[in-house]
Amino acid sequence: MFLSPKSKINILILALAIGVSVIIPAPQALANHADISAIELVELTNAERALSNVPTLTVNETLVRSAEAKAQDLLERDYFNHDTPDGKTPWTFFTDAGYSYTWAGENLAIDFVTAAPIQRAWMASPTHAANILNPHYREIGIAVVEGDFNGKHTAVVVQHFGAQNVQGVQVKSEKISLIERLRVFFASLRVRADRL
């Protein structure tokens, strides 16, 4: 996808105005197949949260489905924005998937080929980083969907965050298993190495 500098500025202004985050990288050729791992993005996100002493996130399949629906919609209707061309907000994708939330957030990325540059771009953006480090979020769902966008093959990444609306039940933070701690530790080492 090629966007003029003016289009990129307009998208950024719109994203800031509505309080959601969009990342569009510098122009680059996208390989025929992106090697973006949703699992790696979850690990990198949790590593950033651990470095900031924020509780790590648990993958929620309903959020994965809402992110997948949003990614498919972006590609099918050739738009790259948090609101759909007919005015549907990102939060509609959450509720349509069956996720009742008290807190919700969305990050988008397009035209990347691996996970680490997406995470670096998101962390370099104040609004994306705010979503990633938001202590109110407890769960995450990520979709990576490849397809044609405005006549060009690309990959779209949708990251959905949430905290479920559970009436009368206090959400307890569960103890992190040793395996999860090791995953977060090694992911944080990758993040630190990428910063060098």
Side-chain angles (χ1 to χ4, degrees):
M1 172 179 105
F2 175 77
L3 291 175
S4 70
K6 184 177 179 182
S7 295
K8 288 180 183 179
I9 290 169
N10 287 340
I11 288 173
L12 181 58
I13 290 169
L14 177 63
L16 292 173
I18 62 175
V20 288
S21 304
V22 176
I23 284 289
I24 301 171
Q28 62 178 330
L30 182 72
N32 286 335
H33 177 71
D35 188 24
I36 302 169
S37 164
I39 293 169
E40 184 178 359
L41 282 170
V42 170
E43 290 172 352
L44 291 170
T45 296
N46 277 334
E48 290 289 352
R49 290 174 69 89
L51 287 172
S52 297
N53 294 318
V54 178
T56 57
L57 302 170
T58 303
V59 173
N60 178 287
E61 290 304 318
T62 305
L63 286 178
V64 171
R65 285 193 306 275
S66 70
E68 287 171 347
K70 175 63 177 269
Q72 287 294 341
D73 197 58
L74 290 168
L75 289 173
E76 288 171 7
R77 298 187 346 164
D78 278 337
Y79 72 98
F80 189 72
N81 197 335
H82 292 282
D83 290 346
T84 67
D86 55 349
K88 187 176 176 181
T89 68
W91 325 127
T92 307
F93 289 92
F94 287 72
T95 56
D96 285 354
Y99 191 85
S100 177
Y101 60 88
T102 54
W103 292 90
E106 176 179 80
N107 284 345
L108 302 176
I110 192 168
D111 289 342
F112 286 88
V113 293
T114 58
I118 296 170
Q119 188 70 22
R120 282 193 300 272
W122 280 341
M123 291 309 296
S125 160
T127 54
H128 287 87
N131 266 342
I132 289 169
L133 300 176
N134 186 323
H136 297 290
Y137 300 147
R138 297 289 179 249
E139 299 171 313
I140 189 170
I142 297 177
V144 179
V145 179
E146 289 187 58
D148 289 333
F149 184 81
N150 290 330
K152 179 184 162 214
H153 185 78
T154 192
V156 172
V157 179
V158 176
Q159 186 178 48
H160 279 175
F161 302 95
Q164 290 190 60
N165 182 10
V166 183
Q167 296 185 12
V169 178
Q170 185 176 7
V171 178
K172 297 178 183 177
S173 69
E174 297 180 29
K175 291 183 179 178
I176 300 173
S177 70
L178 176 59
I179 292 172
E180 182 61 25
R181 286 185 203 172
L182 289 172
R183 271 193 192 141
V184 169
F185 172 74
F186 287 116
S188 69
L189 290 178
R190 277 198 311 258
V191 168
R192 289 179 183 154
D194 287 343
R195 291 181 179 164
L196 297 178

